[in-house]
Amino acid sequence: MQKIEHIGIAVRDLAGSVPLFEKLLNTPCYKTEIVASEKVATAFFRQGETKIELLESTDPEGIIARFIEKKGEGLHHIAFEVADIEKEMKRLKEEGFILLNETPKDGADNKLVCFLHPKTTNGILIELCMERK
Ligand code: ZN
């Protein structure tokens, strides 16, 4: 794995959280994007080499809505950039980690992504991501 590509934060109200994070980070949101397949609306901020991704559910039954119901707003996942996502998925599977998707899927920000089950990673949802070519 390479650098931490981004940190995902679950929020209830993206429209309210974007100006909050713009103030906090002192940088404008550079992209908002709806990922229909994941039922999320996202907003991105650059902070040095890393990005912050805010996630709001677009569906009351969506994964982010259910996460907030259980745990409240806050840290949702850490995403690592990988050079070859299929190779990294294979390696992690062989190491005993549980992949939440067996093939890379489309994520926000022009990425192919795979998530690891938090029960095999000390409770932290881990995302692998690779820039789509
Ligand atoms: Zn993410």
Side-chain angles (χ1 to χ4, degrees):
M1 295 205 233
Q2 299 166 355
K3 66 178 183 183
I4 293 179
E5 211 280 334
H6 65 270
I7 293 173
I9 297 173
V11 302
R12 279 200 181 86
D13 169 26
L14 198 61
S17 296
V18 165
L20 177 79
F21 274 79
E22 286 179 332
K23 266 189 262 177
L24 174 70
L25 303 172
N26 198 23
T27 186
C29 168
Y30 73 90
K31 181 193 268 189
T32 57
E33 184 182 350
I34 289 180
V35 186
S37 58
E38 298 290 308
K39 299 178 177 158
V40 291
T42 63
F44 286 89
F45 304 83
R46 285 183 214 284
Q47 196 72 174
E49 285 265 285
T50 303
K51 297 165 190 164
I52 299 291
E53 174 187 32
L54 301 182
L55 304 131
E56 180 195 325
S57 192
T58 57
D59 183 312
E61 296 300 309
I63 45 168
I64 293 299
R66 280 188 277 134
F67 176 87
I68 289 175
E69 221 169 88
K70 257 202 277 182
K71 299 193 170 173
E73 293 181 296
L75 178 64
H76 181 258
H77 65 271
I78 298 177
F80 292 95
E81 186 172 273
V82 296
D84 181 339
I85 195 165
E86 297 200 10
K87 195 171 147 196
E88 196 63 13
M89 287 167 69
K90 185 168 176 284
R91 182 185 75 82
L92 290 165
K93 198 176 171 178
E94 283 168 4
E95 293 285 3
F97 295 97
I98 298 174
L99 308 181
L100 289 179
N101 48 293
E102 291 290 324
T103 52
K105 62 179 181 177
D106 291 336
D109 204 26
N110 195 40
K111 297 282 196 295
L112 284 171
V113 303
C114 175
F115 288 92
L116 304 185
H117 198 296
K119 86 176 176 197
T120 57
T121 54
N122 283 171
I124 295 283
L125 180 62
I126 301 291
E127 175 185 343
L128 310 176
C129 66
M130 183 177 82
E131 194 84 29
R132 205 181 300 121
K133 281 155 197 146

